[in-house]
Amino acid sequence: MMRKVSLIVLSAAAGAALTLFVTQPRSVLMGSSARAATSDTYRQLNLFGDVFERVRTDYVEKPDDSKLVESAISGMLTGLDPHSSYMDAKSFRDMQVQTRGEFGGLGIEVTMEDGLVKVVSPIDDTPASKAGILANDIITNLDDEAVQGLTLNQAVDKMRGPIGTKIKLKIIRKGQDNPIDVTLVRDNIRVRSVRSRTESDDIAYIRITTFNEQTTEGLKKSVSDLQSQIGDKLKGYIIDLRNNPGGLLEEAVTVSDAFLDRGEIVSTRGRNAEETQRRSAHPGDLAKGKPVIILVNGGSASASEIVAGALQDHKRATLIGTRSFGKGSVQTIIPLGSGNGALRLTTARYYTPSGRSIQAKGIVPDIEVLQDVPDELKSRTDTKGEASLRGHLRNGNDEKTGSQSYVPPDAKNDKALKMAEDLLRGVKINASSPPASNKAAIEKPANKAAN
């Protein structure tokens, strides 16, 4: 029987997944050593059973059996590495929503302030924007239930729901004497993982915040819109991946493919040689040969590093900023059946086209640019990276940790962005600057041993 699982690249902090592939069951030849190992395993399982039964009968209060089992599974997985874990049914559903980038809701970006939900901004053309919800509005009640006392996630869960259903919000707005009651009808909301703008009328700036199912589509739309706005004056593209924690492997591949005509994008290698997979680019360059610069920093992880590594190895882009996070592993999502959640299991490492593993090392930019950090933030602007995580997959003796992740809120103070603009306009010249077209893909080494 064939088993469907989901292949993804997770962010350093939280993950996402639903790119399905099919795996064949492995055949097993049972030798004497295997039988001995199996026997030892059964002894350990008997030990677990003894402990489980003793806790059930002798613990000071009657425990919940299902919670005991979940905790045992969770402990087993988190003991493997920082990115393997057990997700209960709710966590699994939340992860699916996150990676789809699409859900039934209101279209409001929110944060928590003083125990109340504050609107960061309404998303264009959604129930919230159509109803006149404004940035800085404070939501105090949801369907007559006070928000005070709820966590941000709990409040967001209440605002989401089936498309076509109603919810009433009580809002406090600066300048209004009385609270405002607004009834909204939930609609299909798409999370914007790609935002774009023009820089001084001749450079296309594209910010990718995560890699969900909407990312490649959003990238293509942004490129098309920017090409129409800028026209023949277009000098090149700045792709901002700073503090992007990652997401779907498939989206990282298709985003990379958008700027490459040919060549390998990434390879994934598991414990067994037959599990090695290679992903390659297809003809067609979305940027039409224009130079590409990628901004990275200590918060650029996982899928972001796949894109940065592929375009750097193929000399299709110049990387500017600080060393990336260094998460070079792939997680597989294994559903456990209705109501039982799923396993998030590290099953492979990934390698850039030249065969390098960035696990616990990160990607070093072609041009390092350190930002000027305000004194009050200096102790909080460095990301320790994968190599600092307890139980991380080891990668030789030259692991790297600690990299700046601060991005100035005002673009005029952003030194990395300024450097990128100067390179594209020819104000500054660097040997790592991308060529005018992607004519020559790198030559792959003849032998690449799986690690």
Side-chain angles (χ1 to χ4, degrees):
M1 182 172 180
M2 296 200 300
R3 183 169 56 120
K4 287 188 175 180
V5 294
S6 306
L7 180 62
I8 62 166
V9 175
L10 293 177
S11 68
L18 271 188
T19 302
L20 295 179
F21 73 99
V22 179
T23 58
Q24 297 283 357
R26 297 192 184 101
S27 60
V28 177
L29 299 176
M30 184 75 77
S32 59
S33 61
R35 282 193 293 270
T38 300
S39 176
D40 187 59
T41 300
Y42 280 126
R43 281 197 295 272
Q44 296 296 324
L45 289 173
N46 286 335
L47 173 62
F48 171 78
D50 291 343
V51 172
F52 179 76
E53 192 57 38
R54 180 56 62 93
V55 171
R56 292 183 71 227
T57 57
D58 293 350
Y59 185 65
V60 62
E61 296 177 353
K62 180 174 174 55
D64 184 318
D65 287 357
S66 63
K67 289 289 178 59
L68 289 177
V69 172
E70 281 190 12
S71 297
I73 294 171
S74 180
M76 175 173 59
L77 290 164
T78 55
L80 295 173
D81 69 85
H83 308 296
S84 294
S85 64
Y86 169 71
M87 294 179 286
D88 61 22
K90 182 182 182 306
S91 297
F92 186 32
R93 287 194 302 271
D94 290 345
M95 184 214 64
Q96 290 172 304
V97 168
Q98 178 185 338
T99 53
R100 280 198 307 269
E102 187 170 12
F103 53 87
L106 307 178
I108 318 175
E109 295 180 12
V110 294
T111 187
M112 185 70 80
E113 188 173 283
D114 297 328
L116 298 173
V117 175
K118 181 179 180 180
V119 176
V120 175
S121 66
I123 300 171
D124 292 343
D125 199 31
T126 62
S129 64
K130 292 174 182 176
I133 304 295
L134 301 177
N136 299 316
D137 280 352
I138 301 296
I139 300 173
T140 62
N141 294 72
L142 298 169
D143 277 339
D144 297 324
E145 180 182 349
V147 169
Q148 194 94 37
L150 298 179
T151 66
L152 182 60
N153 285 338
Q154 289 171 331
V156 168
D157 284 344
K158 288 184 176 295
M159 286 187 276
R160 290 179 180 174
I163 295 170
T165 57
K166 295 181 179 180
I167 182 171
K168 185 169 72 173
L169 277 59
K170 187 179 290 292
I171 292 171
I172 295 176
R173 179 174 297 165
K174 188 175 181 179
Q176 298 277 353
D177 294 333
N178 298 314
I180 303 168
D181 288 323
V182 181
T183 298
L184 303 178
V185 178
R186 296 180 179 93
D187 199 355
N188 187 48
I189 307 300
R190 287 191 169 194
V191 176
R192 288 180 61 190
S193 60
V194 180
R195 300 174 187 272
S196 61
R197 65 175 186 262
T198 60
E199 290 289 333
S200 301
D201 298 325
D202 61 353
I203 290 175
Y205 171 90
I206 299 173
R207 166 84 176 126
I208 301 177
T209 58
T210 188
F211 288 85
N212 61 30
E213 292 180 12
Q214 314 299 326
T215 300
T216 302
E217 179 186 334
L219 173 68
K220 290 178 178 178
K221 184 178 186 307
S222 291
V223 169
S224 176
D225 290 346
L226 290 166
Q227 287 174 347
S228 297
Q229 292 173 36
I230 301 173
D232 295 338
K233 296 184 297 181
L234 181 60
K235 301 283 195 227
Y237 294 83
I238 297 172
I239 310 298
D240 193 345
L241 299 179
R242 291 175 297 181
N243 296 328
N244 179 327
L248 293 171
L249 172 62
E250 183 62 32
E251 293 295 317
V253 170
T254 52
V255 166
S256 302
D257 194 359
F259 298 102
L260 294 172
D261 276 322
R262 61 190 174 95
E264 184 175 298
I265 293 172
V266 66
S267 63
T268 59
R269 308 179 202 174
R271 193 164 72 188
N272 302 295
E274 67 271 14
E275 295 175 343
T276 297
Q277 296 186 13
R278 302 185 188 281
R279 304 299 299 273
S280 298
H282 301 85
D285 177 4
L286 199 63
K288 299 178 181 178
K290 293 287 186 180
V292 176
I293 290 178
I294 294 179
L295 304 182
V296 294
N297 67 5
S300 305
S302 198
S304 297
E305 294 172 293
I306 287 178
V307 175
L311 270 63
Q312 184 184 52
D313 277 5
H314 282 283
K315 303 190 186 306
R316 181 63 187 95
T318 297
L319 270 57
I320 295 178
T322 56
R323 190 181 62 253
S324 64
F325 188 87
K327 185 188 173 296
S329 62
V330 179
Q331 282 65 45
T332 298
I333 300 301
I334 307 172
L336 298 175
S338 179
N340 290 325
L343 301 184
R344 179 165 51 203
L345 189 66
T346 299
T347 54
R349 299 173 187 249
Y350 71 76
Y351 295 79
T352 72
S354 63
R356 57 178 168 150
S357 167
I358 59 89
Q359 170 64 18
K361 296 178 180 179
I363 290 177
V364 177
D366 300 302
I367 304 172
E368 182 181 55
V369 175
L370 294 173
Q371 304 283 358
D372 294 327
V373 183
D375 290 339
E376 67 273 15
L377 298 177
K378 283 184 177 177
S379 63
R380 293 180 285 146
T381 56
D382 279 9
T383 300
K384 292 184 177 180
E386 177 79 9
S388 69
L389 298 179
R390 180 178 297 178
H392 72 272
L393 298 178
R394 307 297 299 182
N395 194 11
N397 297 320
D398 58 341
E399 296 182 349
K400 307 292 184 184
T401 185
S403 181
Q404 191 185 78
S405 58
Y406 176 73
V407 178
D410 192 333
K412 75 174 186 291
N413 299 322
D414 191 337
K415 295 172 68 175
L417 179 61
K418 180 66 165 56
M419 171 65 77
E421 293 175 359
D422 286 349
L423 284 177
L424 289 175
R425 295 193 180 105
V427 175
K428 294 184 179 179
I429 305 296
N430 186 278
S432 300
S433 295
S437 63
N438 181 32
K439 300 271 187 193
I442 62 167
E443 292 297 325
K444 288 172 51 182
N447 295 301
K448 292 203 290 186
N451 294 329

